[in-house]
Amino acid sequence: MWKKYTIVIAIIACIGTVLLFVIKDLQKASLVETVKVEEQYEDFIVHIRIEETNNGFQVLRSIQYIGEEVITIQHRTPLTQITINADNATFTGSPISKQMKPGYQYHPQQPLNFSALEKGDHKLFVHTQFFIDEESVNIKTEETISFQ
C-alpha cells in the first residue's frame, strides 16, 4: 500500500518539476522588437541591428564608408563596443589596418550574444573608435531596448 502512495507522490513531484521549468521558461523576458540603429559621422555610417535569439538577443555591428577616396583606417578590438546600462567601452589589442573603398561595409566582429535582460527598458551604448592618419575618430550613440 505504501509503495503505491510513494510511486504516486514521486510521479506528481516529477510532473510538478517539469511544469515549473516550463512555466519559468515561458515567463522569460523577450525583446519587444528588432532594433536598427544607424549613426552617421562624416563619411562613415555605423550600423547596429539587435535581434532576438533562442537564448536572449544578439547584436550585429558594421561600419560603412561613403566617402569618395580610398582610405585606410586602424582600429583596436572591437571596432564597435556595445555596453548595456553603463557607458564604459574598452578597446584593447594591437591595431588592425583596413583599407576602405567607397561604399564598402566592414564587418570585423562576430555577432555579440547576450542573455535576455529583465523586463523593462534598458540603455544600449554604442561606441565605435578608429584612427585615420593617427587621428582618433569616435562615433557614439545610445538606444533604448525594451523587454517584456
Side-chain angles (χ1 to χ4, degrees):
M1 184 83 160
W2 289 104
K3 258 188 176 176
K4 288 181 183 179
Y5 289 131
T6 305
I7 292 172
V8 170
I9 291 172
I11 290 172
I12 291 171
C14 288
I15 291 171
T17 303
V18 169
L19 285 175
L20 182 68
F21 283 112
V22 168
I23 290 170
K24 185 179 176 185
D25 192 44
L26 290 175
Q27 290 180 340
K28 256 200 245 183
S30 61
L31 189 63
V32 172
E33 63 183 350
T34 298
V35 178
K36 293 181 185 179
V37 179
E38 289 185 357
E39 184 69 25
Q40 183 169 351
Y41 175 79
E42 295 179 0
D43 291 338
F44 297 92
I45 302 172
V46 175
H47 298 276
I48 304 295
R49 180 180 169 94
I50 303 143
E51 55 191 20
E52 190 171 4
T53 63
N54 291 337
N55 299 324
F57 65 102
Q58 71 177 0
V59 180
L60 306 168
R61 306 157 287 173
S62 69
I63 188 166
Q64 182 178 9
Y65 175 61
I66 56 173
E68 296 180 6
E69 300 174 9
V70 175
I71 64 166
T72 299
I73 66 168
Q74 283 194 326
H75 67 88
R76 293 176 289 169
T77 304
L79 171 61
T80 300
Q81 177 71 47
I82 305 294
T83 55
I84 300 170
N85 295 327
D87 188 7
N88 58 352
T90 57
F91 301 91
T92 60
S94 301
I96 298 168
S97 293
K98 184 66 178 176
Q99 187 178 58
M100 304 286 281
K101 297 178 182 176
Y104 183 71
Q105 195 159 353
Y106 181 36
H107 304 265
Q109 297 114 6
Q110 296 295 319
L112 274 176
N113 292 298
F114 293 94
S115 299
L117 301 175
E118 294 178 7
K119 292 180 181 181
D121 293 339
H122 299 273
K123 274 284 195 214
L124 185 84
F125 295 92
V126 179
H127 185 175
T128 300
Q129 182 184 74
F130 56 93
F131 301 87
I132 301 173
D133 297 327
E134 297 184 21
E135 187 175 322
S136 177
V137 176
N138 287 282
I139 305 170
K140 292 183 173 185
T141 189
E142 298 175 15
E143 185 68 30
T144 300
I145 57 175
S146 299
F147 285 81
Q148 66 177 8

